[in-house]
Amino acid sequence: MTNEMEMNVEEMIELAASIEHTNLQPNATKEDIIKLCDEAKGYHFYGICVSPYFVQLAKKELTGTAIKIVSVVGFPLGYSTVAAKVEEAKKAIISGADEVDMVLNINAFKSGDYATVQNDIQAVTTVCHLQNKQVKVIIETAYLTPEEIDKACRICIDCEVDYVKTSTGYAPQGATVEAVKLLRSILPAKIKIKASGGIKTHDFAVELMKAGATKIGTSSSLNIIGVEQQ
């Protein structure tokens, strides 16, 4: 019984180290983000994911820790201009972001304008890599066919991104095991996968990790690691 309990604790610690504790709500407050940071410190999450507005606050709250600060670019719809995304990424990095999650220009992609999509991703990736920061591309799998997912991944491979991310959490569907498996079958090992959107339980998070996800983006982090919320 003791070994089983120890294994469970070890599993929870390992899972927490893969979670990006997230609050991207449009009505989030300073107090909400401070609480998010405190929880990340208390439960040793890999990182926190917040809007660009809150990056400086998160940097202040997490000084002296190894917790990563992740912020978003072109979020959640992805159709802002390349120049706007580049400036957003620069500002996030200057403010203290360690990683940038950018949204694919789905309008351009669905229109077959792959040159614009590639330029968009490459521009943000270059900005991030010049500052030794990681970039994740949110392709919003809910809107794409398997063939389109393959095409989006090929563009991400060409741009040498660090991660492909499933979802923003604002589409009709978030991460699925099937989508993660498909991404893993297409992407080279050096490009990792972040599953996000609708991940609320421990079992589902574990399924996604087994399917090939390296990171889990969720606002239900405490529930996933088995912490009862007050």
Side-chain angles (χ1 to χ4, degrees), residues 9 16 25 34-35 44 57 70-71 87 97-98 107 110 113 119 131-132 149 157 159-160 164 168 181 189 204:
V9 170
Q25 292 301 313
I34 291 173
K35 181 183 177 186
H44 305 288
L57 173 62
V70 184
S71 195
E87 288 306 310
D98 300 296
N107 287 168
K110 284 287 190 177
D113 185 3
N119 182 43
Q131 298 298 323
N132 295 315
I149 289 173
I157 292 168
C159 294
E160 299 185 321
V164 172
T168 60
K181 285 181 176 178
F204 188 35

Side-chain angles (χ1 to χ4, degrees), residues 3-151:
N3 287 338
E4 183 179 345
M5 288 177 65
E6 287 176 356
M7 285 177 63
N8 288 337
V9 170
E10 287 174 5
E11 180 190 1
M12 293 306 176
I13 292 171
E14 185 178 351
L15 189 54
S18 300
I19 289 175
E20 295 181 14
H21 193 34
T22 301
N23 188 335
L24 292 168
Q25 292 301 313
N27 60 344
T29 65
K30 174 182 177 181
E31 290 71 27
D32 293 331
I33 303 308
I34 291 173
K35 181 183 177 186
L36 189 83
C37 292
D38 287 342
E39 289 169 347
K41 288 184 281 189
Y43 297 106
H44 305 288
F45 293 126
Y46 169 80
I48 55 107
C49 186
V50 296
S51 73
Y53 174 74
F54 286 124
V55 170
Q56 280 186 306
L57 173 62
K59 183 70 174 177
K60 178 183 175 184
E61 294 297 314
L62 296 174
T63 296
T65 76
I67 296 166
K68 301 296 185 183
I69 299 170
V70 184
S71 195
V72 290
V73 162
F75 192 87
L77 301 175
Y79 49 45
S80 48
T81 65
V82 175
K85 286 181 178 176
V86 166
E87 288 306 310
E88 250 190 304
K90 287 179 179 177
K91 175 62 175 173
I93 291 168
I94 289 169
S95 297
D98 300 296
E99 302 178 10
V100 168
D101 291 13
M102 69 167 289
V103 184
L104 176 87
N105 188 330
I106 302 164
N107 287 168
F109 187 88
K110 284 287 190 177
S111 299
D113 185 3
Y114 303 126
T116 291
V117 174
Q118 181 141 356
N119 182 43
D120 190 41
I121 295 172
Q122 189 66 73
V124 174
T125 300
T126 298
V127 165
C128 292
H129 286 178
L130 282 172
Q131 298 298 323
N132 295 315
K133 308 300 181 183
Q134 293 197 326
V135 62
K136 308 185 194 82
V137 178
I138 309 171
I139 65 172
E140 203 71 281
T141 53
Y143 293 135
L144 306 181
T145 66
E147 293 75 21
E148 288 173 328
I149 289 173
D150 183 89
K151 178 64 177 178

